[in-house]
Amino acid sequence: MSIIACVLVALVAVEHLYILWIEMFAWTTKGKQVFRGALSEELFEKTKGLAANQGLYNGFLSAGLFWGLLISDPVWSFRVQLFFLSCVIVAATYGALRSSRSILIKQGLPAILALLALLLA
């Protein structure tokens, strides 16, 4: 696999670790800054549990991508990365349709670029 594909997959994994941190541990602090305008101020405390659950899912995406990078068998490494990048793209598309179009750019575009690099490697 190319170095570019590895770097892009790792960046998507790191991005989802960052999302995990915001949604699970910093929802009422950093989350308010990142998601300002999406929720009213008083809803952040009320939605803390829901956000933590979303963060956990983002952590699974990140773990899967890192796992794919660490697998020594090139066929399985490719398949695992393909699966988890596809999951990120589906989630970003759904988020763009149901929540904010910017999700497709912020989360979907890096995953699409990583997927293309993976497929072209």
Side-chain angles (χ1 to χ4, degrees), residues 12-14 18 30 48-49 52 58 66 78 88 111 117:
V12 174
V14 168
Y18 177 65
K30 184 70 173 172
K48 197 173 177 178
N58 280 290
F66 281 126
F78 171 83
V88 171

Side-chain angles (χ1 to χ4, degrees), residues 75-95:
V75 173
W76 275 105
S77 176
F78 171 83
R79 289 177 180 168
V80 169
Q81 290 176 65
L82 178 70
F83 173 76
F84 281 98
L85 287 170
S86 298
C87 288
V88 171
I89 293 166
V90 169
T93 302
Y94 183 81

Side-chain angles (χ1 to χ4, degrees), residues 2 6 11-12 15-16 21 40 48-50 56 64-65 76 79 89 98 116 121:
S2 80
C6 288
L11 286 174
V12 174
E15 177 184 25
H16 284 273
W21 174 75
S40 61
K48 197 173 177 178
L50 295 171
L56 185 61
L65 291 169
W76 275 105
R79 289 177 180 168
I89 293 166
R98 301 292 296 167
L116 287 174

Side-chain angles (χ1 to χ4, degrees), residues 23 27-29 32 39-54:
E23 292 176 343
W27 184 243
T28 58
T29 55
K32 285 182 182 180
L39 292 174
S40 61
E41 179 82 19
E42 67 274 358
L43 285 179
F44 280 91
E45 189 60 44
K46 293 177 182 178
T47 59
K48 197 173 177 178
L50 295 171
N53 188 53
Q54 289 177 190

